[in-house]
Amino acid sequence: MINKISLFFDEKKQFNESRFIRFCIRLFKEKPLGAAGAVICVLFMLTGIFADFIAPYGFNDINPPDRLQPPSWTYFFGTDQIGRDVFSRIVHGARTSMIIGLSVACISIFISIVLGVTSGYFGGKFDMLLQRIVDAWMSFPDLVVVIVAVSVLGPGLWQVILVLSLLYGIAGSRIVRGAVLAVKENDYVNAAESIGVSTFRILIRHIIPNILAPVSVLFTTRLAAVILVEAGLSFLGLGVPPPEPSWGSMLSFEGRSYMFQAPWLAIVPGIVITIVVYNINMFGDAIRDLLDPRMRGSGGQKM
Amino acid sequence: MQGYFLRRILAVIPTLFFASIIVFMVIRTIPGDAVDLIIKSSPFMEDSAEVRKQIEADLGLDQPVHIQYVEWVSDIVLRGDLGNSILRETPVSEEIKQRLPVTFTMGTLAIIFALIIAIPIGVYSALNQDTIADHVGRSFAILGLAIPSFWLGTMVVIIPAILWGWTPPTRLLPFTDAPFRYLVVFLTPAAILGASLAAVTMRMTRTMMLEVLRQDYIRTARAKGLKETLVVTRHALRNALIPVVTLVGLFLPYVIGGTVVLERIFDLPGVGQLLLLGVMDRDYPVITGIFLMIGIFVIIANLLVDLSYGLLDPKVRNQN
């Protein structure tokens, strides 16, 4: 008996593995741009994780004699007005972006699933009430909500993560709810209900696995949006406080007057943000096309 | 038709209610006591329990929370009173009103700009699906979503200045004195904001066009020998653009967020600048006042979009 069970689990594991590998192969074959996006995403994560080993200098090593040096072999992306190495700051900025991006994406997806699944599956008055609150919440612009929240809570890494998670978590629940409404109508859910499967089990075994396609797309779009909003917030001087490096704050107003003599200060962080966000979006689009059977083939192709 | 309008208008009431609750909650969580602030700001007041009680009663802070909420809302609805700026002691509603034209002009120009670029490209992309032009157009659209507008703004200021010593005009003269020069100042920031909006609009136009072009009535129109340009403009585009109109409503929060950043870069005295000033000065009535106004504006604008949707789409108009 025990052997049988363990055998079953082994098979299942193998099945999952091969499914993942098959997915990767399809990604590279059918969506070369999406695959390139995936590679850049992985590089971005690795840069964030191993920032200390990649960066040749500390992100806050001030070296006044070498101030405003143009890009060279010693300083790949040049130095800023107090002689800090721009390359090292970009590498450490990747870590800040990654920490905020991933934690917000994870927490907000969790909030979206909890709110969206309960609201979509149970419906009724609770759903009505929650949807009106989501309506109200979504009528405030992202950036304005974050600015107001930071002005009340004070700037800092945790405040930014908390506010953005709540912001995108509530907004995303709308998308999860829509997916749940569609899945709920399936015969297998009815069948499970009619043989008396507990609600919790239906949610975990039947509803949630079937909304994973829109959820994984939501995850990548959130990751990209969070990186952009965090950069914008830091640009306005309301993000993670210095000396912690952030791509947005590297473009902020303190360095503005130096950018005319040292344009690399302005050019490099912007290009890095663009490349990372662009590739996350490409990767997300590829996942959506591959996971959604309706998008297959050119007949029903949408975007 | 009237039923549709009525239902839409009634549906806005709970949304407005919850939006006001959100703003009220922000006001309640503001750090530091309002009483402390007042005592600190006026040197003639002594810090005693009696004085504190008096101020609390004046501000209505001794009342239960729900009564405070009702009073706050009725101040806004009946008198348009958003409170006074702590720093300048002018009414917040007055300050917003002064700066509104700048933000409004920039937002409107940006939306116009986005539609002008996006709709032709979107239609062209859909008509030439999966050709090189289509791929190029779509790649640019995704790129437009990835470039941060604050960086694009910075580049537009810095690069021409370095290369040719040219900077975009930012000095704002009154509109009535020189209407043309007034608008010219907005062109660069509005174009930058419009570019990122154009990306979304273009994708949406393309998707809708592709969907509409597969409909039976398009085939019928072609089969009866109608000219292709007429098929596209009269039959396809008119139907494809209906959802694009809703998109403009969904844009609004994004447009407002964008104006905050671009007003900062181009130093334009709009509402966004006022918000940032409020944050720097910790002038909370200014912050929450703007926050509330933006929320109400977006809700009302979306209502108008929904209503115009009813006018444009016969399917929605005649349902019941």
Side-chain angles (χ1 to χ4, degrees):
Chain A
M1 183 66 188
I2 293 165
N3 273 341
K4 249 186 183 171
I5 291 175
S6 66
L7 204 70
F8 172 74
F9 275 111
D10 275 355
E11 266 174 16
K12 203 172 172 190
K13 205 175 152 203
Q14 267 176 3
F15 173 71
N16 278 339
E17 263 176 23
S18 73
R19 223 168 73 161
F20 176 70
I21 291 167
R22 272 213 313 268
F23 181 80
C24 290
I25 293 171
R26 272 187 65 205
L27 178 67
F28 276 83
K29 266 190 182 161
E30 294 173 30
K31 301 275 167 193
L33 273 177
V39 171
I40 300 279
C41 285
V42 171
L43 278 179
F44 163 62
M45 302 286 167
L46 290 178
T47 311
I49 294 167
F50 298 107
D52 295 321
F53 302 99
I54 297 169
Y57 308 91
F59 61 80
N60 212 24
D61 286 0
I62 296 163
N63 189 10
D66 279 355
R67 61 196 292 275
L68 296 176
Q69 291 286 312
S72 64
W73 284 112
T74 354
Y75 303 109
F76 298 132
F77 295 155
T79 58
D80 68 3
Q81 65 272 21
I82 47 176
R84 292 177 298 192
D85 178 35
V86 173
F87 178 71
S88 304
R89 289 180 68 72
I90 291 275
V91 168
H92 281 277
R95 172 177 286 176
T96 313
S97 274
M98 187 188 77
I99 291 174
I100 294 179
L102 283 183
S103 28
V104 172
C106 292
I107 301 171
S108 70
I109 290 286
F110 179 75
I111 297 174
S112 296
I113 290 182
V114 170
L115 291 180
V117 167
T118 47
S119 167
Y121 187 76
F122 297 111
K125 285 213 175 90
F126 171 71
D127 181 36
M128 274 274 286
L129 187 71
L130 196 69
Q131 289 318 307
R132 295 290 80 73
I133 295 175
V134 174
D135 273 342
W137 182 259
M138 283 171 71
S139 47
F140 295 104
D142 298 4
L143 194 62
V144 174
V145 172
V146 188
I147 290 173
V148 170
V150 167
S151 78
V152 174
L153 299 174
L157 186 70
W158 293 109
Q159 285 89 326
V160 172
I161 291 178
L162 179 82
V163 173
L164 286 175
S165 302
L166 208 60
L167 179 71
Y168 290 122
I170 293 177
S173 72
R174 197 40 78 75
I175 295 164
V176 174
R177 174 178 174 269
V180 170
L181 286 180
V183 171
K184 201 174 112 180
E185 297 306 315
N186 279 316
D187 286 339
Y188 55 80
V189 177
N190 280 333
E193 274 168 359
S194 63
I195 59 169
V197 177
S198 73
T199 310
F200 181 72
R201 204 178 149 82
I202 292 179
L203 293 181
I204 296 294
R205 295 296 295 269
H206 298 289
I207 303 280
I208 292 179
N210 285 302
I211 57 167
L212 285 184
V215 165
S216 57
V217 176
L218 196 61
F219 186 85
T220 56
T221 48
R222 285 300 178 243
L223 188 58
V226 169
I227 290 175
L228 272 181
V229 168
E230 187 275 323
L233 202 62
S234 301
F235 169 78
L236 294 171
L238 299 168
V240 183
E244 209 64 39
S246 149
W247 292 342
S249 60
M250 293 176 75
L251 287 164
S252 76
F253 267 69
E254 293 150 60
R256 178 50 62 89
S257 48
Y258 300 99
M259 287 175 190
F260 293 97
Q261 330 164 27
W264 55 88
L265 289 179
I267 295 170
V268 176
I271 289 181
V272 172
I273 297 172
T274 307
I275 291 176
V276 168
V277 173
Y278 181 80
N279 282 290
I280 294 174
N281 281 337
M282 288 308 267
F283 183 39
D285 275 11
I287 295 180
R288 180 187 57 190
D289 291 355
L290 291 181
L291 287 185
D292 190 344
R294 278 168 304 175
M295 298 290 177
R296 276 181 208 149
S298 61
Q301 195 179 45
K302 280 193 166 174
M303 283 292 295
Chain B
M1 173 89 164
Q2 274 168 349
Y4 172 78
F5 279 1
L6 204 65
R7 250 179 299 137
R8 274 275 154 258
I9 293 168
L10 286 180
V12 160
I13 293 169
T15 314
L16 280 173
F17 169 71
F18 285 118
S20 70
I21 294 273
I22 291 171
V23 178
F24 188 68
M25 272 162 55
V26 170
I27 294 176
R28 297 289 306 185
T29 48
I30 285 167
D33 208 326
V35 182
D36 276 343
L37 265 172
I38 289 176
I39 289 178
K40 264 186 213 147
S41 64
S42 51
F44 307 110
M45 230 172 255
E46 54 175 323
D47 192 356
S48 67
E50 203 130 296
V51 175
R52 281 178 167 271
K53 264 225 167 100
Q54 184 58 43
I55 298 170
E56 266 181 20
D58 283 350
L59 292 174
L61 287 176
D62 52 349
Q63 311 263 355
V65 177
H66 61 275
I67 295 190
Q68 285 184 38
Y69 171 76
V70 171
E71 279 179 359
W72 175 72
V73 168
S74 57
D75 267 359
I76 294 165
V77 176
L78 300 177
R79 285 185 285 278
D81 179 13
L82 290 169
N84 291 346
S85 153
I86 294 176
L87 216 67
R88 294 176 291 274
E89 293 186 346
T90 44
V92 174
S93 52
E94 215 38 58
E95 297 204 332
I96 295 177
K97 215 182 280 169
Q98 262 174 23
R99 287 164 175 263
L100 204 56
V102 171
T103 307
F104 188 77
T105 315
M106 180 145 87
T108 316
L109 278 179
I111 290 176
I112 293 172
F113 197 84
L115 294 178
I116 289 177
I117 323 176
I119 292 175
I121 299 181
V123 171
Y124 186 83
S125 243
L127 291 176
N128 300 284
Q129 193 189 359
D130 291 331
T131 60
I132 292 177
D134 182 26
H135 285 299
V136 170
R138 282 160 70 193
S139 307
F140 267 107
I142 301 176
L143 195 63
L145 287 176
I147 299 179
S149 60
F150 62 86
W151 179 61
L152 208 56
T154 309
M155 286 291 103
V156 169
V157 173
I158 286 175
I159 301 282
I162 293 172
L163 294 181
W164 309 296
W166 177 85
T167 44
T170 51
R171 225 168 69 83
L172 210 53
L173 300 163
F175 179 72
T176 42
D177 286 5
F180 183 69
R181 281 184 60 194
Y182 181 84
L183 288 179
V184 163
V185 173
F186 289 101
L187 280 186
T188 332
I192 291 165
L193 185 53
S196 51
L197 300 178
V200 192
T201 321
M202 186 245 134
R203 284 167 66 122
M204 183 83 170
T205 312
R206 180 179 176 278
T207 311
M208 293 324 298
M209 271 304 269
L210 283 180
E211 217 153 80
V212 171
L213 283 173
R214 290 206 177 81
Q215 300 293 324
D216 288 339
Y217 57 83
I218 297 292
R219 200 175 32 193
T220 313
R222 282 184 178 147
K224 74 180 182 192
L226 204 62
K227 259 193 269 166
E228 184 65 21
T229 46
L230 277 182
V231 175
V232 172
T233 51
R234 284 276 171 78
H235 293 250
L237 194 57
R238 271 178 72 168
N239 287 297
L241 284 188
I242 295 172
V244 177
V245 172
T246 0
L247 198 66
V248 174
L250 290 176
F251 272 172
L252 281 175
Y254 188 84
V255 173
I256 295 168
T259 53
V260 175
V261 170
L262 288 163
E263 279 170 17
R264 176 94 169 97
I265 296 175
F266 289 91
D267 202 23
L268 295 167
V271 179
Q273 281 273 46
L274 186 63
L275 177 67
L276 289 176
L277 273 178
V279 173
M280 302 295 162
D281 300 337
R282 306 196 162 276
D283 199 339
Y284 290 110
V286 173
I287 302 172
T288 52
I290 294 174
F291 192 45
L292 182 71
M293 287 321 292
I294 290 176
I296 293 175
F297 173 72
V298 172
I299 292 170
I300 302 287
N302 270 315
L303 171 70
L304 293 178
V305 167
D306 269 1
L307 295 182
S308 65
Y309 199 96
L311 285 175
L312 290 172
D313 191 343
K315 271 181 282 180
V316 177
R317 203 189 310 154
N318 298 329
Q319 79 186 24
N320 275 331

